[in-house]
Amino acid sequence: MTEGNSIINAQLTPLPDKVGVDGLEDKWRAVWDEDGTYKFRNTRDRKAVYSIDTPPPTVSGSLHVGHVFSYTHTDVIARYKRMRGYDVFYPMGWDDNGLPTERRVQNYYGVRVDVSLPYDPDFKPPFEGTDGKKIDAKDQVPISRKNFIELCEKLTAEDEKLFEALWRKLGLSIDWSQTYHTIGQHPQRVAQKAFLRNLARGEAYQQDAPGLWDVTFQTAVAQAELESREYPGFYHKVAFRFEDGTPIYIETTRPELLAACTSLIANPNDERYKQYFGQEVYSPLFKVKVPILAHPAAEMGKGAGIAMCCTFGDVTDVEWWRDLKLPTRPIIQRNGRIVMDTPDWITDPAGREVFAETAGKTTFSARKVIVDKLRESGDLDGEPTPTKRMTNFYEKGDKPLEIVTSRQWYLKNGGTDEKLNAELIERGKELNFHPDFMRVRYENWVHGLNGDWLISRQRFFGVPFPLWYPVNASGEPDYDRPITPSEDRLPIDPTIDVPEGYDESQRDVPGGFTAEKDIMDTWATSSVTPQIVTHWAEPDEASQALFKSTFPMDLRPQGQDIIRTWLFSTVDRAHLENKCLPWAHATLSGWILDPDHKKMSKSKGNVVVPNEPIEKFGADAVRYWAAAARLGLDATYDIGQMKIGRRLAIKLLNATKFALAIGREDENHHVGEAAEASWNPADVTEPLDRAAMAKLALVVRQATEALEAYEHSKALEVIESYFWQFCDDYIELVKNRAYGTPDEQGNVPSEKAVKSARTALGLGLDAFARLLAPYLPYASEEVWSWMHAGSGSVHRAAWPVVNPYVEAATGASPELLTWAGKAVEQLRKIKSEAKVSMKTPILSVALSAAAEGVDAIHAALGDIAQAGRVIGKFDLVAKHTAESAAEDAPETEVAVETSELGEPPVKKPKK
């Protein structure tokens, strides 16, 4: 196709006798792969590149239509930008490390990690898939960490094939040569390099501190991974006593933590307790003396208004402990059980005996022991009363989190640094959010941070911290002096690799070294996806050129639910490392709801496997449903919408075939020969044709503006609305003139009038193929191949611009087409009400129209009469009634005054 001086020269192919959407996916996917249609051309000019930080989906073995939904939104933008002339950098990654993968591997193969076991190169797992059944931990076979990682890599490779097959079938225009894995060599090197630079600048640090801990998965949990859920429990009214035995009552849901109590806390403005501040009381059962203190975070209206502070029952305890510099008295282990040894701060013999009865028990069992003892001692006032409280859970966990003191790695994120917090708020203001109201979620999250980002995890399948520690003469690691590798050695696994200046024989021995066994949180890798895909800080020339031409990136598409995790953490990392935003725009998709308007999730069992609707309705139809939804808003899984999308794709095929076949068909309506066509806007001379081009110019302008503003659904609505008007009204109005056949009175249209219709049809359907290409890539490619043989893919064609259509319109109003359509609608209505065939001639008719529409209808009267088969008198008068003058009268009102029908055509008998 050439589009010089607004003339479109087309190379028309023979046309299929029958058209349909079935089979188009396989046909065109193969062509796109062979031709490298979506391959990044490696343009070195940053202004000519549009780069996308594509979300790497978590490879956990199952897909649902939510994946289709958000990734389609991104693909529409990618295809649009490519047609706008950008070299689109559109990679795909797989988020294949972290807890979801570990859980799947444990269940799929029936194994668990035991770090004390050696590597077994001949290990064969007991299962190869368990049909979705969960295998209890006691039944899982223990294996070495390395064996476990190998199984993770094996299973994720299989899962990734399923994802890629889906993305290809859906028609995502991804450059599959730009694929990465978050556990791969290059991503590990980037993540480790970024961490080492954070460490060198003092932005990463380790600390022994209380932190949220999941007892099931045996790992620390970051603030961003919390999920607050309602959890049933009981309030216990418990007496602490002054020296003379006078009681002061607190109410607690966690009496098992009495042994960890450091103080009682009340609000400084609470008149009930002001007299007691500074005094001391004894804890029940354990007889440990604790002070009564004031803190503004104490809630006067909650419970008794005074609470015990234990180390640690919840995050408020941590706040009080930190602010009031309280002693640390932990009694809960990492496994969620009470410590075995009786703490030395419990000196009362009876108290030590009570504690010994709880040692090693779960918190649930320990609670029962303590409550029974409180009843016996008389320190329990009344019986426990049921309550429900909001409790922190790990988002993937099933048990409430505990707070455990442990050594962990942290990365600064503004949670403890007011200056950094303010800088990250400003970064959020620089970023273009689509929709903009999502910005407040980012700001609320950053303002609400109460600690730095905990990035270490006590798991196995992930990016290792590239660190070792010297071991002193007594065999203790010196955590204050970590040993770091040079960047040219990355990536490394410290449990296998050896630091410079040491050998393997010095591992874990006095005077030697020991490895950091923790891994990075999966978000610590995902937060550097812009640096991974753009080859940040790689030494080779090609990588440096790629980084220069793609970073900072243009777009981050993602779900609204991970603004606090992925979006914010990526902004934090780029701010610290690159001193800029990682991208200019962020698009946030909503959630998918089931037909009952409930969020789809695997846990609810209401997900739909995406292959099902694609197989049933076609990829274009499913894409249409997804693309019709606005960013930031939830959408219902709607088969009805998919059916509309399928009809739209089929209509594009049928309408294009019809127009391209005019003047080329044989007696059997077959088009078997190639042809050339030239569609020159100057050849559009008839008023109706010019009106159609005027409307097309308006649609191109509106759709372009919407897509530039990342409003893909608005653009689709504008394009689709006019496409149906073009097919239902314009094509029906001009088809007889386009054929050049005599009208009902025997008048043959002029050659000029015929050419005007054919040119407008060609210009229109050429534009629609391109306008719909980002949404319906398969159907659009099919019709484009009929029009522009040998010119390449429609997805590499230029996005329409308004100039050719403005030139063709020569000042005509698009409303002329609307009025003409209304007139034909009234002519059809006459036959419909008479219950006769639409081919029945109208002998005479008089139409009345609002005054502003008369000239428009009159200008297209010949086409209107032919479309409605008016063979006799056709009168048109202005409607000057009070109704038409009323403000609420329809602007395009047309009415039948009188009409007379001829005889319906005789049906030909079927052969």
Side-chain angles (χ1 to χ4, degrees):
M1 181 202 76
T2 61
E3 191 175 344
N5 299 321
S6 299
I7 299 174
I8 295 178
N9 295 313
Q11 301 295 324
L12 309 181
T13 67
L15 297 173
D17 291 329
K18 292 184 178 180
V19 299
V21 296
D22 296 333
L24 293 184
E25 288 100 336
D26 292 338
K27 173 184 177 180
W28 288 112
R29 192 165 61 248
V31 173
W32 294 337
D33 287 345
E34 183 178 347
D35 294 348
T37 302
Y38 307 123
K39 191 172 180 61
F40 179 57
R41 306 302 201 229
N42 208 19
T43 300
R44 299 299 177 95
D45 181 3
R46 180 67 189 90
K47 293 180 180 179
V49 172
Y50 187 86
S51 56
I52 303 173
D53 183 18
T54 316
T58 300
V59 183
S60 57
S62 59
L63 301 164
H64 65 79
V65 291
H67 293 97
V68 167
F69 182 67
S70 56
Y71 283 81
T72 298
H73 296 170
T74 307
D75 191 61
V76 168
I77 296 299
R79 289 180 177 278
Y80 166 72
K81 292 294 183 180
R82 196 177 286 112
M83 295 177 75
R84 291 285 283 176
Y86 288 97
D87 189 5
V88 175
F89 182 64
Y90 189 14
M92 175 55 71
W94 307 117
D95 190 5
D96 42 15
N97 78 76
L99 184 58
T101 299
E102 289 190 29
R103 291 180 70 180
R104 175 161 158 72
V105 168
Q106 287 172 342
N107 203 45
Y108 190 88
Y109 292 114
V111 297
R112 60 181 171 83
V113 175
D114 184 337
V115 294
S116 68
L117 294 176
Y119 173 65
D120 179 1
D122 300 317
F123 176 75
K124 295 290 187 294
F127 297 100
E128 286 279 348
T130 55
D131 298 324
K133 297 177 182 177
K134 187 174 181 179
I135 299 178
D136 292 336
K138 61 182 175 54
D139 298 323
Q140 293 171 350
V141 174
I143 59 174
S144 73
R145 182 174 184 268
K146 186 176 180 181
N147 281 121
F148 186 78
I149 290 173
E150 286 181 353
L151 291 178
C152 289
E153 292 169 340
K154 177 182 176 182
L155 189 56
T156 53
E158 293 300 315
D159 289 343
E160 284 155 12
K161 291 177 183 177
L162 299 176
F163 271 75
E164 182 172 337
L166 172 68
W167 290 159
R168 287 180 177 275
K169 194 169 186 66
L170 185 63
L172 297 192
S173 59
I174 284 162
D175 180 355
W176 290 104
S177 68
Q178 303 286 347
T179 302
Y180 68 93
H181 305 251
T182 56
I183 201 66
Q185 291 280 302
H186 174 242
Q188 285 199 49
R189 183 163 61 250
V190 171
Q192 291 183 339
K193 187 184 303 180
F195 169 77
L196 289 175
R197 294 189 181 190
N198 290 136
L199 181 62
R201 292 192 296 264
E203 296 155 358
Y205 62 92
Q206 59 181 327
Q207 180 177 306
D208 283 313
L212 294 159
W213 185 269
D214 189 285
V215 299
T216 303
F217 300 113
Q218 292 289 286
T219 186
V221 175
Q223 183 182 352
E225 297 168 309
L226 297 185
E227 191 173 282
S228 186
R229 303 178 200 163
E230 199 172 59
Y231 193 71
F234 289 86
Y235 264 127
H236 306 78
K237 189 174 182 180
V238 177
F240 282 67
R241 298 185 185 276
F242 289 94
E243 189 77 40
D244 62 1
T246 303
I248 184 170
Y249 291 96
I250 61 100
E251 292 185 21
T252 179
T253 58
R254 303 205 62 183
E256 73 276 14
L257 294 179
L258 274 169
C261 184
T262 64
S263 55
L264 299 188
I265 310 286
N267 192 286
N269 297 317
D270 196 327
E271 296 294 339
R272 293 171 294 177
Y273 301 110
K274 278 185 177 181
Q275 59 182 314
Y276 301 126
F277 293 146
Q279 297 186 38
E280 293 180 317
V281 290
Y282 290 91
S283 63
L285 303 183
F286 302 107
K287 303 298 187 290
V288 176
K289 187 182 288 187
V290 297
I292 301 175
L293 304 173
H295 193 283
E299 299 179 52
M300 289 188 282
K302 184 177 180 181
I306 188 169
M308 65 174 183
C309 174
C310 303
T311 52
F312 296 92
D314 57 24
V315 291
T316 304
D317 284 344
V318 177
E319 180 184 358
W320 289 339
W321 166 81
R322 184 182 291 119
D323 292 351
L324 300 174
K325 296 180 173 51
L326 300 172
T328 305
R329 294 173 178 169
I331 64 168
I332 296 180
Q333 305 175 83
R334 290 187 175 192
N335 60 6
R337 293 175 178 269
I338 306 298
V339 296
M340 295 300 296
D341 297 328
T342 302
D344 55 13
W345 62 83
I346 300 175
T347 57
D348 180 75
R352 293 180 68 84
E353 287 182 12
V354 171
F355 189 90
E357 291 188 42
T358 66
K361 292 185 181 296
T362 64
T363 54
F364 178 82
S365 298
R367 186 178 308 143
K368 187 177 185 304
V369 170
I370 295 299
V371 171
D372 288 343
K373 294 292 184 183
L374 288 170
R375 281 196 190 95
E376 293 175 14
S377 67
D379 293 319
L380 181 67
D381 187 345
E383 283 301 303
T385 56
T387 185
K388 288 187 177 180
R389 57 194 175 99
M390 298 307 292
T391 306
N392 285 323
F393 285 75
Y394 177 33
E395 59 189 359
K396 295 175 173 49
D398 301 319
K399 293 182 178 180
L401 295 173
E402 295 291 353
I403 296 179
V404 173
T405 301
S406 59
R407 182 184 62 84
Q408 303 288 347
W409 279 99
Y410 296 84
L411 183 67
K412 290 186 177 180
N413 67 352
T416 60
D417 184 331
E418 291 185 7
K419 179 174 179 293
L420 177 58
N421 189 281
E423 291 170 351
L424 291 171
I425 290 290
E426 287 303 310
R427 289 295 185 205
K429 292 177 180 178
E430 293 174 32
L431 181 61
N432 295 292
F433 282 84
H434 306 282
D436 187 69
F437 68 77
M438 288 291 178
R439 184 188 313 277
V440 71
R441 299 192 185 187
Y442 172 93
E443 293 179 351
N444 287 345
W445 173 252
V446 182
H447 279 306
L449 289 169
N450 55 29
D452 284 326
W453 178 13
L454 190 158
I455 60 170
S456 50
R457 293 293 180 272
Q458 292 65 52
R459 301 300 302 174
F460 314 106
F461 190 53
V463 176
F465 283 94
L467 300 171
W468 303 269
Y469 305 99
V471 177
N472 61 27
S474 61
E476 296 295 325
D478 185 353
Y479 293 117
D480 294 331
R481 294 191 299 122
I483 304 168
T484 59
S486 56
E487 288 187 359
D488 60 0
R489 286 193 64 195
L490 302 176
I492 66 156
D493 182 345
T495 65
I496 297 173
D497 298 311
V498 175
E500 290 92 337
Y502 294 86
D503 59 50
E504 184 60 34
S505 67
Q506 295 174 280
R507 186 182 296 274
D508 297 326
V509 297
F513 70 93
T514 189
E516 172 61 80
K517 294 181 176 62
D518 287 355
I519 62 169
M520 296 184 195
D521 169 26
T522 184
W523 292 113
T525 305
S526 298
S527 62
V528 289
T529 52
Q531 290 82 357
I532 290 170
V533 297
T534 61
H535 286 224
W536 162 76
E538 291 291 271
D540 62 286
E541 184 179 340
S543 292
Q544 292 174 10
L546 178 67
F547 180 74
K548 189 176 180 180
S549 67
T550 56
F551 189 92
M553 304 185 81
D554 292 284
L555 176 64
R556 154 63 70 80
Q558 65 165 69
Q560 59 179 323
D561 52 331
I562 51 175
I563 290 174
R564 62 181 186 172
T565 48
W566 196 33
L567 190 147
F568 169 67
S569 63
T570 311
V571 170
D572 183 35
R573 301 301 292 276
H575 176 76
L576 294 175
E577 184 60 48
N578 308 106
K579 312 305 178 191
C580 65
L581 279 173
W583 359 258
H585 299 269
T587 53
L588 292 309
S589 296
W591 286 319
I592 296 300
L593 309 178
D594 67 13
D596 294 327
H597 298 279
K598 295 177 181 176
K599 180 188 173 186
M600 275 196 183
S601 67
K602 286 180 281 187
S603 62
K604 293 180 181 177
N606 61 348
V607 301
V608 175
V609 178
N611 285 322
E612 294 176 8
I614 292 176
E615 291 291 340
K616 189 171 183 179
F617 304 111
D620 280 351
V622 176
R623 288 173 63 98
Y624 171 87
W625 157 74
R630 293 169 57 190
L631 285 173
L633 300 182
D634 299 340
T636 303
Y637 178 74
D638 190 346
I639 288 176
Q641 280 282 86
M642 295 177 195
K643 289 178 179 178
I644 293 172
R646 183 178 176 88
R647 286 199 299 270
L648 179 64
I650 292 172
K651 189 67 174 180
L652 178 63
L653 296 168
N654 284 326
T656 307
K657 181 193 172 187
F658 168 79
L660 297 183
I662 293 175
R664 300 171 61 204
E665 296 173 301
D666 60 21
E667 64 275 10
N668 297 315
H669 303 288
H670 176 68
V671 179
E673 299 294 330
E676 294 183 356
S678 181
W679 300 319
N680 186 345
D683 291 330
V684 180
T685 56
E686 298 301 299
L688 186 64
D689 305 333
R690 288 177 169 177
M693 294 297 96
K695 183 64 177 287
L696 185 56
L698 183 63
V699 166
V700 168
R701 180 179 290 111
Q702 291 175 339
T704 303
E705 289 173 352
L707 284 166
E708 286 294 321
Y710 294 85
E711 294 179 338
H712 60 261
S713 59
K714 182 178 179 181
L716 175 60
E717 183 180 352
V718 168
I719 296 164
E720 181 190 7
S721 176
Y722 183 49
F723 175 74
W724 285 112
Q725 184 185 12
F726 190 87
C727 294
D728 294 344
D729 291 345
Y730 178 70
I731 290 180
E732 289 301 311
L733 281 160
V734 303
K735 65 181 179 182
N736 289 297
R737 175 158 55 89
Y739 275 116
T741 54
D743 63 17
E744 297 294 339
Q745 285 80 29
N747 300 315
V748 178
S750 68
E751 186 176 324
K752 183 180 178 182
V754 171
K755 191 167 190 177
S756 177
R758 292 184 180 182
T759 301
L761 286 170
L763 289 171
L765 289 165
D766 171 277
F768 280 120
R770 289 182 283 161
L771 289 169
L772 288 169
Y775 303 94
L776 312 177
Y778 292 109
S780 296
E781 190 74 286
E782 179 74 2
V783 299
W784 187 258
S785 72
W786 302 341
M787 283 187 276
H788 299 292
S791 69
S793 171
V794 67
H795 305 297
R796 284 284 176 181
W799 180 257
V801 294
V802 299
N803 294 352
Y805 316 111
V806 170
E807 183 182 336
T810 58
S813 168
E815 290 305 310
L816 191 156
L817 176 59
T818 303
W819 283 105
K822 285 289 184 181
V824 171
E825 181 183 343
Q826 291 302 314
L827 297 179
R828 291 169 179 161
K829 183 180 179 182
I830 295 170
K831 301 174 188 181
S832 177
E833 290 178 347
K835 295 182 171 57
V836 297
S837 166
M838 288 296 146
K839 294 182 180 180
T840 302
I842 297 176
L843 301 180
S844 67
V845 66
L847 293 183
S848 63
E852 62 268 26
V854 170
D855 289 343
I857 296 175
H858 192 270
L861 206 57
D863 289 324
I864 294 169
Q866 187 63 17
R869 295 206 69 192
V870 179
I871 64 175
K873 189 178 180 183
F874 194 158
D875 291 330
L876 176 66
V877 296
K879 191 173 187 180
H880 293 295
T881 64
E883 180 185 349
S884 67
E887 289 185 6
D888 60 349
E891 184 180 295
T892 56
E893 185 182 3
V894 179
V896 177
E897 297 292 320
T898 62
S899 65
E900 181 183 1
L901 292 171
E903 291 296 322
V906 178
K907 290 186 178 180
K908 295 180 180 180
K910 294 182 179 179
K911 294 182 180 179

